[in-house]
Amino acid sequence: AEEVGGGDKDVVKEYFNNSGFQRWKKIYGETDDVNRVQRDIRLGHSKTVENVMAMLKDEGPLRGVTVCDAGCGTGSLSIPLAKEGAKVFASDISAAMVAEAEKKAKEEVKGGVMPKFEVKDLESLEGKYDTVVCLDVLIHYPQNKADGMIAHLASLAEKRLIISFAPKTFYYDLLKRVGELFPGPSKATRAYLHSEADVETALRRVGWKIRKRGLISTQFYFATLVEAVPA
Ligand code: SAM
């Protein structure tokens, strides 16, 4: 049976402060010490970030726009957003991730506005933002937990919500590769896939609809990217 509630979150937090931090910092970084699979995931993830930047810029300049980057990781999205002048509120459940993101931002954001960083799980986020973005976080939670997370994120967004998740369509494909992606039986490294219909239902329940959707894939990376707006 799938365990839900606080348990998952504590395990995920512990993972992203330790081995998961080391692993993902490398994947999201620029160094050459990555294997073939990690390099491929790096490429797929960078495509997701590029697509999100394009979606955001589509609506006009980002200067002064408030963006909440929920589960910001090492700042892969927060930093380019800040460079464009967006007011970024970046948070993550992992203190190690937030520290790394902050360090990178200090090095890389010259013009623009420094993001505000905070160690916080997304369920505790408050306030209102023009746009809320949550990339590649739902993979750590089963759908019944993800529903509540989506509803909460929507409640913080004034204009739009952008979410990426690993699509269930590729379940069997992914299963074959999962061994390579997430070695070991640890619960922390378990990947939960979500069907687009389930995500859409969760959004509809709180009065939001999907305006744009797309699929980003490389050999080992799959993400469905959705942009939702109030219905
Ligand atoms: N969004 C970033 C990106 O795309 O570069 C990072 C993606 S990484 C695969 C997942 C991140 O979600 C980790 O940094 C992890 O610490 C964070 N995370 C997991 N559960 C979370 C939660 N409940 N609240 C906030 N962050 C969470």
Side-chain angles (χ1 to χ4, degrees), residues 1-59:
E2 276 174 5
E3 201 181 298
V4 291
D8 283 315
K9 207 152 80 177
D10 290 344
V11 176
V12 168
K13 179 176 172 176
E14 150 78 19
Y15 170 69
F16 279 107
N17 270 319
N18 296 287
S19 63
F21 170 64
Q22 296 305 332
R23 177 182 175 79
W24 290 98
K25 179 176 82 163
K26 222 159 67 168
I27 292 174
Y28 294 152
E30 278 119 46
T31 54
D32 285 328
D33 58 343
V34 284
N35 63 35
R36 191 175 64 87
V37 175
Q38 292 170 330
R39 192 176 295 278
D40 179 82
I41 296 171
R42 179 189 279 177
L43 175 68
H45 174 261
S46 72
K47 286 189 188 189
T48 296
V49 171
E50 274 170 34
N51 272 276
V52 173
M53 286 302 291
M55 262 181 181
L56 284 167
K57 286 202 263 185
D58 248 17
E59 299 286 296

Side-chain angles (χ1 to χ4, degrees), residues 48-63 65-69 77-78 80-82 84 86 88 130-135 159-163 211-212 225-228:
T48 296
V49 171
E50 274 170 34
N51 272 276
V52 173
M53 286 302 291
M55 262 181 181
L56 284 167
K57 286 202 263 185
D58 248 17
E59 299 286 296
L62 289 173
R63 189 153 301 278
V65 172
T66 54
V67 183
C68 169
D69 184 5
L77 178 73
S78 286
L81 278 174
E84 293 285 329
V88 182
D130 293 320
T131 297
V132 175
V133 188
C134 186
L135 303 183
K159 295 182 181 145
R160 57 182 167 172
L161 173 61
I162 297 175
I163 305 176
R211 176 167 75 173
K212 282 184 199 159
L225 182 62
V226 303
E227 182 188 40

Side-chain angles (χ1 to χ4, degrees), residues 188-208:
T189 53
R190 162 148 194 202
Y192 294 98
L193 310 173
H194 302 280
S195 85
E196 207 172 303
D198 289 344
V199 171
E200 195 155 17
T201 302
L203 285 164
R204 199 176 324 116
R205 256 192 233 128
V206 291
W208 285 62

Side-chain angles (χ1 to χ4, degrees), residues 2-16 70-71 92-94 120-123 134 136-150 153 165-166 168 187-195 199:
E2 276 174 5
E3 201 181 298
V4 291
D8 283 315
K9 207 152 80 177
D10 290 344
V11 176
V12 168
K13 179 176 172 176
E14 150 78 19
Y15 170 69
F16 279 107
D92 198 284
I93 198 171
S94 155
K120 225 173 202 292
D121 60 67
L122 67 84
E123 295 83 350
C134 186
D136 297 1
V137 176
L138 296 187
I139 189 160
H140 305 295
Y141 298 92
Q143 188 63 44
N144 56 355
K145 272 227 102 189
D147 286 348
M149 294 167 97
I150 291 169
L153 291 171
F165 55 92
K168 214 165 205 165
K187 188 165 158 255
T189 53
R190 162 148 194 202
Y192 294 98
L193 310 173
H194 302 280
S195 85
V199 171

Side-chain angles (χ1 to χ4, degrees), residues 205-226:
R205 256 192 233 128
V206 291
W208 285 62
K209 63 169 189 232
I210 295 180
R211 176 167 75 173
K212 282 184 199 159
R213 57 187 100 213
L215 179 72
I216 294 141
S217 71
T218 59
Q219 213 181 345
F220 297 99
Y221 177 94
F222 301 96
T224 292
L225 182 62
V226 303

